[in-house]
Each structure stands twice: as structure tokens, then as C-alpha cells.
Amino acid sequence: MNAVYEIKLDFIALAREYAGKWVAMRPDTYEVIASGSSAEEVLAAAEQAGVEEPLITDVVESYG
């Protein structure tokens, strides 16, 4: 059975803090565990933090 998580995430705060960067988050809490200039960089940092399957995303600088 797949786990289902209900999380509230402030996307505006995430965009303000990490605009133009890639971020890796814990899949169960959406806690940001790494940020950097590439997906590969944040994936490696997440693995070092013990998170084998993080959520990763590119946070765009502008939605306009």
C-alpha cells in the first residue's frame, strides 16, 4: 500500500528563499534538505543526508 501524506507547504516562501535554485525535500514532510545549482547537486546532498528518494524541483525565478 502506498503512503499518503497531507502536508501544507508555503510555495510563496519557498519561491522567495530558493528562487533560481534546485531544492531537495523530504517526501514525508517537504522539509528542504538541500539547495543548489543543479538537480544532481541536490540529489547527492540528499543522499548524504540519508534521504534516498527526495522530492526535487527547480524553483523558478518568476512566474510572470
Side-chain angles (χ1 to χ4, degrees):
M1 184 161 109
N2 293 336
V4 175
Y5 301 103
E6 183 176 319
I7 303 290
K8 292 186 180 186
L9 180 63
D10 186 345
F11 286 102
I12 293 172
L14 185 72
R16 284 185 183 137
E17 186 169 351
Y18 298 103
K21 296 182 180 181
W22 282 85
V23 296
M25 296 178 278
R26 292 186 183 282
D28 56 343
T29 64
Y30 292 143
E31 171 192 2
V32 174
I33 51 175
S35 66
S37 60
S38 71
E40 293 81 8
E41 180 182 345
V42 298
L43 185 57
E47 288 175 358
Q48 291 245 332
V51 180
E52 293 181 20
E53 294 184 17
L55 299 173
I56 62 170
T57 188
D58 183 10
V59 182
V60 298
E61 291 190 36
S62 173
Y63 289 96

Coordinates of all heavy atoms in Angstrom, one line a residue:
M1 N 0.8 -1.2 0.0 CA 0.0 0.0 0.0 C 0.9 1.2 0.0 O 1.9 1.3 0.7 CB -0.9 0.0 1.2 CG -1.9 1.1 1.3 SD -3.2 0.8 2.4 CE -2.8 2.0 3.6
N2 N 0.5 2.2 -0.8 CA 1.3 3.5 -0.9 C 0.9 4.4 0.3 O -0.2 4.5 0.7 CB 1.0 4.2 -2.2 CG 1.5 3.4 -3.4 OD1 2.4 2.6 -3.2 ND2 0.9 3.7 -4.5
A3 N 2.0 5.1 0.8 CA 1.7 6.0 1.9 C 1.1 7.3 1.3 O 1.5 7.7 0.2 CB 3.0 6.3 2.6
V4 N 0.2 7.9 2.0 CA -0.4 9.2 1.6 C -0.1 10.2 2.7 O -0.3 9.9 3.9 CB -1.9 9.0 1.4 CG1 -2.5 10.4 1.1 CG2 -2.2 8.0 0.4
Y5 N 0.4 11.3 2.3 CA 0.8 12.4 3.3 C 0.0 13.6 3.0 O -0.2 14.0 1.8 CB 2.3 12.7 3.2 CG 3.2 11.6 3.4 CD1 3.8 10.9 2.4 CD2 3.4 11.1 4.7 CE1 4.6 9.8 2.6 CE2 4.3 10.0 4.9 CZ 4.9 9.4 3.9 OH 5.7 8.3 4.1
E6 N -0.5 14.3 4.0 CA -1.2 15.6 3.8 C -0.3 16.6 4.5 O -0.1 16.6 5.7 CB -2.5 15.5 4.5 CG -3.3 16.8 4.3 CD -4.7 16.7 4.9 OE1 -5.3 15.7 4.8 OE2 -5.1 17.8 5.5
I7 N 0.3 17.5 3.6 CA 1.2 18.5 4.1 C 0.8 19.8 3.6 O 0.4 20.0 2.4 CB 2.7 18.2 3.5 CG1 3.1 16.8 3.9 CG2 3.7 19.3 3.9 CD1 3.4 16.6 5.4
K8 N 1.0 20.9 4.4 CA 0.7 22.2 3.9 C 2.1 22.8 3.6 O 3.0 22.8 4.5 CB 0.0 23.1 4.9 CG -1.4 22.6 5.1 CD -2.2 23.5 6.0 CE -3.6 22.9 6.1 NZ -4.5 23.8 6.9
L9 N 2.3 23.4 2.4 CA 3.5 23.9 2.0 C 3.3 25.4 1.5 O 2.5 25.6 0.7 CB 4.1 23.1 0.9 CG 5.5 23.5 0.3 CD1 6.6 23.5 1.4 CD2 5.9 22.6 -0.8
D10 N 4.1 26.3 2.0 CA 4.0 27.7 1.6 C 4.9 27.9 0.4 O 6.1 28.1 0.5 CB 4.5 28.6 2.8 CG 4.3 30.1 2.5 OD1 4.1 30.4 1.3 OD2 4.4 30.9 3.4
F11 N 4.3 27.8 -0.8 CA 5.1 27.8 -2.0 C 5.7 29.2 -2.2 O 6.7 29.4 -2.8 CB 4.2 27.5 -3.2 CG 3.9 26.0 -3.3 CD1 2.7 25.5 -2.9 CD2 4.9 25.1 -3.8 CE1 2.5 24.1 -3.0 CE2 4.7 23.8 -3.9 CZ 3.5 23.3 -3.5
I12 N 5.0 30.3 -1.8 CA 5.5 31.6 -1.9 C 6.8 31.8 -1.1 O 7.8 32.3 -1.6 CB 4.4 32.7 -1.6 CG1 3.3 32.6 -2.6 CG2 5.0 34.1 -1.5 CD1 2.1 33.4 -2.2
A13 N 6.8 31.3 0.1 CA 8.0 31.4 0.9 C 9.1 30.6 0.3 O 10.3 31.0 0.2 CB 7.7 30.9 2.3
L14 N 8.8 29.4 -0.3 CA 9.8 28.6 -0.9 C 10.4 29.3 -2.1 O 11.6 29.4 -2.3 CB 9.2 27.3 -1.4 CG 10.1 26.2 -2.0 CD1 11.0 25.6 -0.9 CD2 9.3 25.2 -2.7
A15 N 9.5 30.0 -2.9 CA 10.0 30.7 -4.1 C 10.8 31.9 -3.7 O 11.8 32.2 -4.4 CB 8.8 31.1 -4.9
R16 N 10.5 32.6 -2.7 CA 11.3 33.7 -2.2 C 12.7 33.3 -1.8 O 13.7 34.0 -2.1 CB 10.6 34.5 -1.1 CG 9.4 35.3 -1.5 CD 8.8 36.1 -0.4 NE 7.7 36.8 -0.8 CZ 6.5 36.9 -0.2 NH1 6.4 36.4 1.0 NH2 5.5 37.6 -0.6
E17 N 12.7 32.2 -1.0 CA 14.0 31.8 -0.5 C 14.9 31.1 -1.5 O 16.1 31.2 -1.4 CB 13.8 30.9 0.8 CG 15.1 30.6 1.5 CD 14.8 29.9 2.8 OE1 13.7 29.9 3.3 OE2 15.8 29.5 3.4
Y18 N 14.3 30.3 -2.4 CA 15.1 29.5 -3.2 C 15.0 29.8 -4.7 O 15.3 29.0 -5.6 CB 14.7 28.0 -3.0 CG 15.0 27.6 -1.6 CD1 14.0 27.4 -0.7 CD2 16.3 27.3 -1.2 CE1 14.2 27.0 0.6 CE2 16.6 26.9 0.1 CZ 15.5 26.8 1.0 OH 15.8 26.4 2.3
A19 N 14.5 31.0 -5.1 CA 14.3 31.4 -6.5 C 15.6 31.1 -7.3 O 16.7 31.5 -6.9 CB 13.9 32.8 -6.6
G20 N 15.5 30.5 -8.4 CA 16.6 30.2 -9.3 C 17.5 29.1 -8.9 O 18.5 28.8 -9.5
K21 N 17.1 28.3 -7.9 CA 17.8 27.1 -7.4 C 17.0 25.9 -7.5 O 15.8 25.9 -7.7 CB 18.2 27.3 -6.0 CG 19.2 28.5 -5.7 CD 19.5 28.6 -4.3 CE 20.4 29.8 -4.0 NZ 20.8 29.8 -2.6
W22 N 17.7 24.8 -7.4 CA 17.1 23.5 -7.3 C 17.0 23.2 -5.8 O 17.9 23.6 -5.0 CB 17.9 22.4 -7.9 CG 17.8 22.3 -9.4 CD1 18.4 23.1 -10.3 CD2 16.9 21.5 -10.2 NE1 18.0 22.8 -11.6 CE2 17.1 21.8 -11.5 CE3 16.0 20.6 -9.8 CZ2 16.4 21.2 -12.5 CZ3 15.3 19.9 -10.8 CH2 15.5 20.3 -12.2
V23 N 15.9 22.5 -5.4 CA 15.8 22.1 -4.0 C 15.5 20.6 -3.9 O 14.8 20.1 -4.8 CB 14.8 22.9 -3.2 CG1 15.2 24.4 -3.1 CG2 13.4 22.8 -3.7
A24 N 15.9 20.0 -2.8 CA 15.5 18.6 -2.5 C 14.8 18.7 -1.2 O 15.2 19.4 -0.2 CB 16.8 17.7 -2.3
M25 N 13.7 17.9 -1.1 CA 12.8 17.9 0.1 C 12.6 16.5 0.5 O 12.5 15.6 -0.3 CB 11.5 18.6 -0.2 CG 11.6 20.1 -0.6 SD 10.0 20.8 -1.0 CE 9.8 20.3 -2.7
R26 N 12.3 16.4 1.8 CA 11.9 15.1 2.4 C 10.5 14.8 1.9 O 9.7 15.7 1.9 CB 11.9 15.1 3.9 CG 13.3 15.2 4.5 CD 13.2 15.1 6.0 NE 14.5 15.3 6.6 CZ 15.5 14.3 6.6 NH1 15.2 13.1 6.1 NH2 16.7 14.6 7.1
P27 N 10.3 13.6 1.3 CA 8.9 13.3 0.8 C 7.8 13.2 1.8 O 6.7 13.4 1.4 CB 9.2 12.0 0.1 CG 10.3 11.3 0.8 CD 11.2 12.5 1.2
D28 N 8.1 13.0 3.0 CA 7.0 12.9 4.0 C 6.7 14.2 4.7 O 5.6 14.3 5.3 CB 7.4 11.8 5.0 CG 8.7 12.0 5.7 OD1 9.5 12.8 5.2 OD2 9.0 11.4 6.8
T29 N 7.7 15.2 4.7 CA 7.4 16.4 5.5 C 7.6 17.7 4.6 O 7.3 18.7 5.0 CB 8.4 16.6 6.6 OG1 9.7 16.6 6.1 CG2 8.2 15.4 7.6
Y30 N 8.2 17.5 3.4 CA 8.5 18.6 2.5 C 9.5 19.5 3.1 O 9.7 20.7 2.7 CB 7.3 19.4 2.0 CG 6.4 18.6 1.1 CD1 5.0 18.7 1.2 CD2 6.9 17.7 0.2 CE1 4.2 18.0 0.4 CE2 6.0 17.0 -0.6 CZ 4.7 17.1 -0.6 OH 3.8 16.4 -1.4
E31 N 10.3 19.1 4.1 CA 11.4 19.9 4.7 C 12.5 20.0 3.6 O 12.9 19.0 3.0 CB 11.9 19.2 5.9 CG 13.2 19.8 6.4 CD 13.9 19.0 7.5 OE1 13.4 17.9 7.8 OE2 14.9 19.4 8.0
V32 N 12.9 21.2 3.4 CA 14.0 21.4 2.4 C 15.3 20.9 3.1 O 15.7 21.3 4.2 CB 14.2 22.8 2.0 CG1 15.4 23.0 1.1 CG2 13.0 23.3 1.2
I33 N 16.0 19.9 2.4 CA 17.2 19.4 3.0 C 18.4 19.8 2.2 O 19.6 19.6 2.7 CB 17.1 17.8 3.1 CG1 16.7 17.2 1.8 CG2 16.2 17.4 4.2 CD1 16.7 15.7 1.7
A34 N 18.2 20.3 1.0 CA 19.4 20.8 0.2 C 18.9 21.7 -0.9 O 17.8 21.6 -1.3 CB 20.1 19.6 -0.5
S35 N 19.8 22.6 -1.2 CA 19.5 23.5 -2.4 C 20.8 23.7 -3.1 O 21.9 23.6 -2.5 CB 18.9 24.9 -1.9 OG 19.9 25.6 -1.2
G36 N 20.7 24.0 -4.4 CA 21.9 24.2 -5.2 C 21.6 24.6 -6.6 O 20.5 24.8 -7.0
S37 N 22.6 24.5 -7.4 CA 22.5 25.0 -8.8 C 22.1 23.9 -9.8 O 21.8 24.2 -11.0 CB 23.8 25.7 -9.3 OG 24.9 24.7 -9.2
S38 N 22.1 22.6 -9.4 CA 21.7 21.6 -10.3 C 20.9 20.5 -9.5 O 21.1 20.3 -8.3 CB 22.9 21.0 -11.0 OG 23.6 20.2 -10.1
A39 N 20.2 19.7 -10.3 CA 19.4 18.6 -9.8 C 20.4 17.5 -9.2 O 20.2 17.0 -8.1 CB 18.5 18.0 -10.8
E40 N 21.5 17.3 -9.9 CA 22.5 16.3 -9.5 C 23.1 16.7 -8.1 O 23.3 15.9 -7.3 CB 23.6 16.2 -10.5 CG 23.1 15.6 -11.8 CD 22.4 16.6 -12.8 OE1 22.4 17.8 -12.5 OE2 21.9 16.1 -13.8
E41 N 23.4 18.0 -8.0 CA 24.0 18.5 -6.7 C 23.0 18.3 -5.5 O 23.5 17.8 -4.5 CB 24.3 20.0 -6.9 CG 24.9 20.7 -5.7 CD 25.1 22.2 -5.9 OE1 25.0 22.7 -7.0 OE2 25.3 22.8 -4.9
V42 N 21.8 18.6 -5.7 CA 20.8 18.5 -4.5 C 20.5 17.0 -4.3 O 20.3 16.6 -3.2 CB 19.6 19.3 -4.7 CG1 19.9 20.8 -4.7 CG2 18.7 18.9 -5.8
L43 N 20.5 16.2 -5.3 CA 20.3 14.8 -5.2 C 21.4 14.1 -4.4 O 21.2 13.3 -3.5 CB 20.1 14.1 -6.5 CG 19.8 12.6 -6.5 CD1 18.5 12.4 -5.8 CD2 19.7 12.1 -7.9
A44 N 22.6 14.5 -4.7 CA 23.8 14.0 -4.0 C 23.8 14.4 -2.5 O 24.0 13.6 -1.6 CB 25.1 14.4 -4.6
A45 N 23.4 15.7 -2.3 CA 23.3 16.2 -0.9 C 22.2 15.5 -0.1 O 22.4 15.2 1.1 CB 23.1 17.7 -0.9
A46 N 21.1 15.2 -0.8 CA 20.0 14.5 -0.1 C 20.4 13.1 0.3 O 20.2 12.6 1.4 CB 18.8 14.5 -1.0
E47 N 21.2 12.4 -0.6 CA 21.6 11.1 -0.3 C 22.6 11.1 0.9 O 22.6 10.2 1.7 CB 22.3 10.5 -1.5 CG 21.3 10.1 -2.6 CD 22.0 9.6 -3.9 OE1 23.2 9.6 -4.0 OE2 21.2 9.2 -4.8
Q48 N 23.5 12.1 0.9 CA 24.4 12.3 2.0 C 23.6 12.5 3.4 O 24.1 12.1 4.4 CB 25.3 13.5 1.8 CG 26.3 13.2 0.7 CD 27.7 13.2 1.2 OE1 28.0 13.8 2.2 NE2 28.6 12.5 0.5
A49 N 22.4 13.1 3.3 CA 21.6 13.4 4.4 C 20.8 12.2 4.8 O 20.0 12.2 5.8 CB 20.7 14.6 4.2
G50 N 20.9 11.1 4.0 CA 20.2 9.9 4.3 C 18.8 9.8 3.7 O 18.0 8.9 4.1
V51 N 18.5 10.6 2.8 CA 17.2 10.6 2.1 C 17.4 10.0 0.7 O 18.0 10.6 -0.1 CB 16.6 12.0 2.0 CG1 15.2 11.9 1.3 CG2 16.4 12.6 3.4
E52 N 17.0 8.8 0.6 CA 17.3 8.0 -0.7 C 16.4 8.4 -1.8 O 16.8 8.4 -3.0 CB 17.1 6.5 -0.4 CG 18.2 6.0 0.5 CD 18.1 4.5 0.7 OE1 17.4 3.8 -0.1 OE2 18.6 4.0 1.7
E53 N 15.1 8.8 -1.6 CA 14.2 9.2 -2.6 C 13.6 10.6 -2.3 O 12.4 10.7 -2.0 CB 13.1 8.2 -2.8 CG 13.7 6.8 -3.3 CD 12.6 5.8 -3.5 OE1 11.4 6.2 -3.6 OE2 12.9 4.6 -3.6
P54 N 14.4 11.7 -2.4 CA 13.8 13.0 -2.1 C 12.9 13.5 -3.3 O 13.0 13.0 -4.4 CB 15.1 13.9 -2.0 CG 16.0 13.2 -3.0 CD 15.8 11.7 -2.9
L55 N 12.2 14.5 -3.0 CA 11.4 15.2 -4.0 C 12.4 16.3 -4.4 O 13.0 17.0 -3.6 CB 10.2 15.8 -3.4 CG 9.1 14.9 -2.9 CD1 8.0 15.7 -2.2 CD2 8.6 14.0 -4.0
I56 N 12.6 16.5 -5.7 CA 13.5 17.6 -6.2 C 12.7 18.4 -7.2 O 11.8 17.9 -7.9 CB 14.8 17.1 -6.8 CG1 14.6 16.2 -8.0 CG2 15.6 16.4 -5.7 CD1 15.9 15.9 -8.7
T57 N 13.0 19.7 -7.1 CA 12.3 20.7 -8.0 C 13.2 21.9 -8.3 O 14.0 22.2 -7.5 CB 10.9 21.1 -7.5 OG1 10.3 21.9 -8.5 CG2 11.1 22.0 -6.2
D58 N 13.0 22.4 -9.5 CA 13.7 23.7 -9.9 C 12.7 24.8 -9.5 O 11.6 24.8 -10.0 CB 13.9 23.6 -11.4 CG 14.6 24.8 -11.9 OD1 15.2 25.6 -11.1 OD2 14.7 25.0 -13.1
V59 N 13.1 25.7 -8.6 CA 12.3 26.8 -8.2 C 12.6 28.0 -9.2 O 13.6 28.5 -9.2 CB 12.6 27.2 -6.8 CG1 11.7 28.4 -6.4 CG2 12.4 26.0 -5.8
V60 N 11.6 28.3 -10.0 CA 11.8 29.3 -11.0 C 11.9 30.7 -10.4 O 11.4 30.9 -9.3 CB 10.7 29.3 -12.1 CG1 10.7 28.0 -12.8 CG2 9.3 29.6 -11.5
E61 N 12.5 31.6 -11.1 CA 12.7 33.0 -10.5 C 11.5 33.8 -10.7 O 11.3 34.8 -9.9 CB 13.9 33.6 -11.2 CG 15.2 33.0 -10.8 CD 16.4 33.8 -11.3 OE1 16.4 35.0 -11.3 OE2 17.4 33.1 -11.6
S62 N 10.7 33.6 -11.7 CA 9.5 34.4 -11.9 C 8.4 33.6 -12.5 O 8.6 32.7 -13.4 CB 9.8 35.5 -12.8 OG 8.6 36.3 -13.2
Y63 N 7.2 33.8 -12.0 CA 6.0 33.1 -12.6 C 5.3 34.0 -13.6 O 4.3 33.6 -14.1 CB 5.0 32.7 -11.5 CG 5.6 31.5 -10.7 CD1 6.2 31.8 -9.5 CD2 5.5 30.2 -11.1 CE1 6.7 30.7 -8.7 CE2 6.0 29.2 -10.4 CZ 6.6 29.4 -9.2 OH 7.1 28.4 -8.4
G64 N 5.8 35.2 -13.8 CA 5.1 36.2 -14.7 C 5.5 36.1 -16.1 O 6.1 35.5 -16.7

